[in-house]
Amino acid sequence: MALPFYGKKSILKLCEVYCGQKLPNIMCGIIGYIGHRQALPVVIKGLKRLEYRGYDSAGVALLETNNLKVYKKKGKVASLEEELIGKSLEGHIGIGHTRWATHGEPSDRNAHPHVSASGQLAMIHNGIIENYTSIKAELTQKGYSFKSDTDTEVLLNFIEEIKINNDCPLEEALRIALKRIVGAYCILLIDQNDPETILAARKGSPLVIGIGKGEHFLASDATPIIEYTKEVVYVNDYQIAIIKKDELVLKNLGNERQTPFITKLDMELAAIEKGGYEHFMLKEIFEQPTTINDCLRGRIHPQEGLITMGGVEAYIKNLKEAKRIIIVACGTSWHAGLIAEYLLEEYCRIPVEVEYASEFRYRNPVIHKGDVIIAISQSGETADTLVALENAKEKGALIFGVVNAVGSSISRMSHAGAYTHSGPEIGVASTKAFTGQLAILIMITLKLARALNTISTSDYKQLLQELADIPEKVARILENTDPIKAVAEKYKDASDFLFLGRGYNFPVALEGALKLKEISYIHAEGYPAAEMKHGPIALVDENLPVVFVATKDRYYEKIVSNVQEIKARKGKVICIVTEGDNIIPSMADDVLFVPDAPEALGPILSVIPLQLLSYYIGTARGLDVDKPRNLAKSVTVE
Ligand code: F6R
């Protein structure tokens, strides 16, 4: 049912029955258009916007008066565009797909759309059909052969086989097929004998339908739709959509009509364009003063000593009474969770556990009624996180989401939450979403600590004021990136890196290492600085750059000793230090300065040079930093 997810700009109330099934294995981006325009430009532009979801291959199917054309190509959308040169490209109906390979290697023949045996149907699919081998065997026995290795082609022919066998409309065949399959899907299906309709269905994988005047847009998320319309319908699991240019019908698998619930998008086109930057990643790093400010604005009131967060207020009793808080997340979001553990334990005195969602969901964890789970996710679609939450929710835990993507699955299944308001994050490596998550987690901590009376009024007020000053301090770091570029240039050919930090700076070290791995393909490890001597110190020699996150905090003296330990073994030491520090700069090979801040807020500042370091190393190595190999933005495969 309607789940409150409170933000400063809007109170989003999305009615959805959340189906409680095992959740998705979805990646890939899908796009569809039906209406008065030529479909291809809409589809290609949409694919480019969705490319961050996967870029192993891309393809389109166009339909115009009983003429179905399908073009597809291994590689990025740019390769598909080359493939389209000189081809017949007419069509007022179009579907397109950008793939992150699951079944079948990335290749032309495994690229979507797939065409049915008769040549009449074309389909794109985002998800995994888990029982496709048995269906394939059934179809093979009936004489079907397959052109690709994909589960999608199997599902498509299964639908066609049902249609022929039962002599029924395609919509009915689709319904029957979907009742038989196990797995996750978002599919768009077109029929050359019906050039007026797109059929769509979802379970697990997201689907948004944009409503225009005499036209409809379909996509995995709202980014390709926003420039045409702000009115969208989020399709729910087990719904089938029958879409014509001026009609949208939603039905459940029982063939009952359901009312489409129209949501207004709160997003501007500029937010999803590069805006003069060479890469989305760089743009998103530079947006941080604004995005952090957007996250704080309307929520913190330092003068009055107030924090307004509807989601926290609505569940303050549960939060105050929680015997423990479990934080569930993956990747960069998990690193934000680790910082939240330090914050919540220090200021609220509530025990906190931070869990990798992928482990938490499978290891039969102990969850009590009344436990509070904070789920952190940029996309709100990460499969492991989603399923972990499902399980915990069933056991009576309160789910509080810290999510960036408005209307995403995690935001809809949470009891309450807070949006980070970082805007669409297109660069595959997470940057601005991370600092947004930290800002939210700090606000939650302070608000809860205040309610619990576990923080002194002076500390509370000071932290609130310091938090308000953070966007301006981030802007100061971004004013002069030359020293970071110089460090990147100096170490770009290293084969390994070590990142070290203590206290709040330890998760920052982990995040610095993750960013570097993703963006530059350089092996990097993050470690607690003191733990280093229990093993990783053996790696240190004159070729190893060691990055210390060594800002002024309660561990400062100790980290100075750690720096010396590395120097004594001839390692190259690069330090992130607080402005005005002159001790570490006298011993390090390179230093990068960040403004002073209370240590609980320090990570929002110290992570910025690390984001830029990996960006500049990645670009210096000539890599595609927005689309690093093998990665995808929404990791919806378990
Ligand atoms: C790293 C990165 C990933 C994500 C992780 C979780 O730069 O982007 O590690 O943080 O896949 O994704 P969300 O936050 O969308 O659940």
Side-chain angles (χ1 to χ4, degrees):
M1 234 338 272
L3 303 168
F5 211 81
Y6 298 87
K8 71 176 170 48
K9 287 181 187 153
S10 57
I11 296 177
L12 189 80
K13 285 189 183 141
L14 294 170
C15 283
E16 138 153 302
V17 177
Y18 196 73
C19 298
Q21 296 291 311
K22 273 202 127 198
L23 274 155
N25 295 302
I26 43 162
M27 307 277 269
C28 312
I30 63 163
I31 171 93
Y33 175 78
I34 181 166
H36 50 80
R37 306 170 202 242
Q38 283 297 325
L40 186 75
V42 178
V43 169
I44 291 290
K45 206 168 185 189
L47 285 179
K48 287 185 178 162
R49 296 222 193 279
L50 291 171
E51 211 173 12
Y52 68 89
R53 301 177 73 92
Y55 28 85
D56 289 333
S57 62
V60 293
L62 300 166
L63 183 54
E64 182 79 354
T65 49
N66 307 101
N67 182 11
L68 178 66
K69 292 156 285 196
V70 174
Y71 307 107
K72 48 195 195 171
K73 195 74 196 153
K74 178 179 170 184
K76 296 182 177 156
V77 179
S79 312
L80 173 67
E81 282 184 293
E82 278 172 31
E83 177 72 9
L84 293 175
I85 295 169
K87 302 275 168 41
S88 150
L89 302 171
E90 291 286 300
H92 290 87
I93 293 188
I95 56 175
H97 187 271
T98 177
R99 179 169 187 247
W100 189 87
T102 54
H103 288 78
E105 55 164 14
S107 63
D108 291 354
R109 72 190 179 86
N110 285 333
H112 299 214
H114 291 281
V115 176
S116 65
S118 71
Q120 286 176 11
L121 308 179
M123 190 171 91
I124 54 178
H125 167 217
N126 174 12
I128 293 177
I129 307 304
E130 286 168 22
N131 60 338
Y132 87 106
T133 39
S134 60
I135 297 173
K136 189 172 186 177
E138 220 175 275
L139 291 173
T140 309
Q141 257 193 355
K142 290 182 176 158
Y144 280 82
S145 60
F146 297 89
K147 297 187 261 317
S148 76
D149 308 318
T150 64
D151 49 347
T152 306
E153 194 190 1
V154 173
L155 173 58
L156 175 60
N157 282 315
F158 186 47
I159 296 166
E160 182 159 79
E161 167 69 11
I162 294 171
K163 180 177 183 299
I164 296 167
N165 243 353
N166 294 14
D167 193 19
C168 64
L170 183 59
E171 183 195 322
E172 179 60 21
L174 173 63
R175 217 177 344 264
I176 297 170
L178 295 182
K179 285 185 191 159
R180 279 274 315 273
I181 59 168
V182 179
Y185 55 80
C186 170
I187 53 173
L188 302 191
L189 175 63
I190 53 177
D191 178 354
Q192 85 170 7
N193 295 324
D194 180 5
E196 308 290 326
T197 314
I198 299 178
L199 291 178
R202 115 160 226 188
K203 188 206 143 197
S205 311
L207 175 61
V208 189
I209 301 179
I211 300 166
K213 287 202 173 68
E215 57 185 350
H216 284 106
F217 306 83
L218 300 93
S220 301
D221 64 44
T223 51
I225 294 177
I226 184 74
E227 65 189 278
Y228 307 106
T229 175
K230 292 201 167 176
E231 297 205 326
V232 297
V233 171
Y234 289 91
V235 177
N236 291 327
D237 279 348
Y238 301 107
Q239 282 186 327
I240 291 181
I242 303 108
I243 306 129
K244 300 189 188 292
K245 67 183 169 54
D246 37 27
E247 188 186 37
L248 164 63
V249 173
L250 284 184
K251 292 184 179 175
N252 63 16
L253 293 187
N255 200 20
E256 292 158 338
R257 278 181 85 132
Q258 304 198 306
T259 312
F261 184 83
I262 297 174
T263 303
K264 253 205 146 41
L265 289 174
D266 180 13
M267 190 195 279
E268 295 305 324
L269 181 59
I272 53 169
E273 299 200 316
K274 274 194 212 157
Y277 286 91
E278 206 177 328
H279 295 99
F280 281 111
M281 182 178 176
L282 191 63
K283 173 187 172 231
E284 287 159 7
I285 292 172
F286 272 83
E287 274 174 349
Q288 288 175 111
T290 310
T291 53
I292 299 167
N293 201 39
D294 283 348
C295 180
L296 300 177
R297 194 166 2 100
R299 284 175 168 149
I300 58 165
H301 314 277
Q303 300 297 332
E304 296 83 1
L306 284 177
I307 299 175
T308 314
M309 294 182 93
V312 177
E313 280 147 27
Y315 285 89
I316 196 71
K317 188 169 178 308
N318 308 57
L319 289 162
K320 277 172 75 177
E321 287 172 4
K323 296 271 175 299
R324 61 173 180 164
I325 294 175
I326 304 169
I327 297 177
V328 177
C330 303
T332 288
S333 300
W334 187 86
H335 296 153
L338 214 49
I339 293 170
E341 177 185 22
Y342 290 30
L343 287 164
L344 287 161
E345 293 207 340
E346 176 161 7
Y347 291 105
C348 303
R349 309 308 298 155
I350 300 176
V352 178
E353 289 157 37
V354 190
E355 297 271 359
Y356 286 114
S358 53
E359 289 298 311
F360 189 68
R361 64 179 282 197
Y362 283 118
R363 66 170 180 75
N364 196 15
V366 178
I367 299 165
H368 300 294
K369 204 168 178 341
D371 280 346
V372 171
I373 309 260
I374 299 183
I376 309 175
S377 177
Q378 185 286 128
S379 62
E381 301 290 349
T382 302
D384 282 324
T385 312
L386 206 42
V387 181
L389 298 179
E390 268 293 286
N391 298 344
K393 194 176 175 186
E394 264 168 35
K395 292 180 182 154
L398 174 82
I399 312 294
F400 190 98
V402 175
V403 175
N404 189 36
V406 175
S408 56
S409 299
I410 293 176
S411 68
R412 290 190 287 163
M413 68 82 64
S414 302
H415 292 105
Y419 285 119
T420 51
H421 292 307
S422 310
E425 194 178 62
I426 311 290
V428 164
S430 191
T431 53
K432 63 176 180 172
F434 178 70
T435 47
Q437 290 164 349
L438 293 184
I440 292 282
L441 293 162
I442 291 163
M443 286 188 281
I444 293 173
T445 302
L446 292 180
K447 193 165 174 64
L448 185 54
R450 191 76 172 143
L452 288 163
N453 223 359
T454 46
I455 190 169
S456 69
T457 304
S458 59
D459 282 358
Y460 173 80
K461 287 203 161 163
Q462 192 222 343
L463 284 169
L464 212 50
Q465 185 53 58
E466 291 277 0
L467 187 56
D469 296 341
I470 285 286
E472 189 270 322
K473 290 184 180 176
V474 172
R476 258 168 54 205
I477 301 172
L478 295 169
E479 264 163 27
N480 181 14
T481 55
D482 288 349
I484 309 174
K485 274 186 208 151
V487 173
E489 195 52 42
K490 189 166 164 189
Y491 297 102
K492 69 179 188 327
D493 297 319
S495 55
D496 305 274
F497 263 77
L498 195 56
F499 287 75
L500 302 174
R502 300 176 83 118
Y504 288 101
N505 281 332
F506 159 54
V508 179
L510 292 179
E511 176 59 7
L514 178 64
K515 282 292 87 90
L516 191 70
K517 280 183 264 209
E518 289 180 292
I519 299 304
S520 71
Y521 313 152
I522 295 174
H523 165 249
E525 280 189 53
Y527 237 76
E531 186 66 19
M532 174 254 317
K533 53 187 165 303
H534 299 283
I537 199 162
L539 298 169
V540 179
D541 63 14
E542 66 282 8
N543 298 316
L544 184 75
V546 181
V547 179
F548 278 93
V549 190
T551 47
K552 275 272 169 65
D553 57 20
R554 76 190 93 159
Y555 314 98
Y556 181 74
E557 260 94 57
K558 302 206 178 299
I559 210 147
V560 167
S561 310
N562 298 139
V563 169
Q564 278 164 341
E565 285 155 16
I566 298 291
K567 282 306 301 170
R569 286 155 185 88
K570 299 195 166 44
K572 298 282 179 288
V573 170
I574 305 150
C575 290
I576 312 295
V577 296
T578 306
E579 283 168 359
D581 184 352
N582 49 23
I583 299 172
I584 290 185
S586 69
M587 53 182 83
D589 293 272
D590 297 278
V591 283
L592 299 170
F593 291 96
V594 294
D596 189 23
E599 63 180 75
L601 311 188
I604 306 191
L605 302 179
S606 50
V607 76
I608 308 285
L610 299 183
Q611 294 171 342
L612 282 167
L613 184 65
S614 56
Y615 172 81
Y616 289 126
I617 292 181
T619 48
R621 288 165 72 102
L623 299 170
D624 185 348
V625 293
D626 277 341
K627 301 187 200 86
R629 69 182 177 207
N630 304 336
L631 294 175
K633 188 71 183 162
S634 295
V635 182
T636 43
V637 171
E638 66 175 88

